[in-house]
Amino acid sequence: MTTRDRVLEAALGSFGTRGYEATSLDQVAVELGIRKQTILYYFPSKPVLLEAVIDAASDDLVETLEAALTDAGTGWDRMESVIRSVFRLALRRPELLGLLREVSRLGSDPAARLAQNLDPLVERAREFLEAEMAAGRFRTSDARLLLLSTYSTVLGVATEVEVLRAVGIEPTLRSMVVRRRELLGFLRSALVVEVPVETPVEAPVEAPVEAPVEAPVPAPLT
């Protein structure tokens, strides 16, 4: 890993866990065992470093979600695959999702940069939702608003890991699985149009018709 990449990785970890304001270049330099001037050689200022971190994090996020979108099937299966990939990312790289939460808090410029980087992925997701709605598999609604609310919900639940750790509670894998299952159930009930299963109606069974009993023929008189 190059020095530039090491700086990006360390800054991502600090921005995504401690927060942007709570991170100093001096602190990042000490953690890496390099001089602050080395960081400034690659990134002339802290805002420039933030922009580079946002770009790198966007690339990682897009790569992860694109793989989930490509490998999954259609309808709810694809939606579930993407959500599961976000939760796996939250466990494997919590600082990445933490950065997304931090960027949304910082204001217009960082948020606009992130939105621009993710726009192709968002557009693809919008087209997918609209296609599913047109096919009658998802409930009809505004696709962009649906994306926004789903993004906020999934990000909020997935980043609970860092929130809990910040207050001294170490989340367990079991708790994450439970929260993921609850979220998937909630989203499925909100999105998916369930097709009622028709119970086949059995034809009435007709009672067998009994053959008429013939009266015995009297024997002829002799």
Side-chain angles (χ1 to χ4, degrees), residues 10-21 23-25 28 46 49-51 53 95 98-99 102:
L12 170 62
S14 189
F15 293 161
T17 54
R18 301 187 185 97
Y20 177 73
E21 286 92 352
T23 298
S24 69
L25 297 186
V28 174
K46 186 178 171 183
L49 176 58
L50 175 62
E51 290 177 353
V53 168
E95 71 280 359
L99 177 73
E102 177 69 2

Side-chain angles (χ1 to χ4, degrees), residues 17-211:
T17 54
R18 301 187 185 97
Y20 177 73
E21 286 92 352
T23 298
S24 69
L25 297 186
D26 291 304
Q27 173 191 2
V28 174
V30 169
E31 291 177 357
L32 291 174
I34 61 177
R35 297 186 306 161
K36 178 180 177 181
Q37 286 74 12
T38 303
I39 296 177
L40 294 174
Y41 171 79
Y42 295 102
F43 309 100
S45 67
K46 186 178 171 183
V48 172
L49 176 58
L50 175 62
E51 290 177 353
V53 168
I54 291 173
D55 292 344
S58 300
D59 290 342
D60 289 346
L61 184 62
V62 168
E63 182 180 353
T64 299
L65 297 185
E66 283 284 2
L69 284 169
T70 301
D71 295 341
T74 59
W76 173 250
D77 290 341
R78 180 171 290 190
M79 176 73 79
E80 183 177 0
S81 176
V82 171
I83 294 172
R84 287 180 179 274
S85 70
V86 172
F87 272 84
R88 286 193 296 269
L89 195 62
L91 289 172
R92 183 169 53 89
R93 298 191 63 191
E95 71 280 359
L96 186 59
L97 296 187
L99 177 73
L100 300 184
R101 186 184 62 239
E102 177 69 2
V103 166
S104 65
R105 188 190 65 81
L106 287 175
S108 58
D109 289 344
R113 190 177 189 90
L114 177 64
Q116 182 179 2
N117 291 345
L118 299 182
D119 188 63
L121 182 65
V122 171
E123 189 63 19
R124 181 178 175 186
R126 182 190 63 78
E127 292 174 355
F128 159 71
L129 289 175
E130 290 180 346
E132 293 300 312
M133 292 175 192
R137 289 186 287 265
F138 284 179
R139 303 181 193 279
T140 302
S141 63
D142 186 302
R144 287 193 175 275
L145 288 178
L146 177 59
L147 271 176
L148 179 60
S149 59
T150 303
Y151 168 83
S152 301
T153 303
V154 173
L155 184 63
V157 174
T159 55
E160 281 182 356
V161 174
E162 286 305 310
V163 174
L164 292 174
R165 285 174 178 162
V167 295
I169 302 174
E170 186 62 29
T172 64
L173 179 60
R174 177 178 176 80
S175 67
M176 286 294 292
V177 170
V178 170
R179 296 293 287 133
R180 184 186 66 190
R181 184 172 62 244
E182 292 173 346
L183 177 62
L184 287 171
F186 167 74
L187 290 176
R188 181 183 177 90
S189 63
L191 290 175
V192 177
V193 176
E194 299 290 354
V195 179
V197 179
E198 295 184 0
T199 304
V201 180
E202 298 182 359
V205 179
E206 297 182 357
V209 179
E210 297 182 359

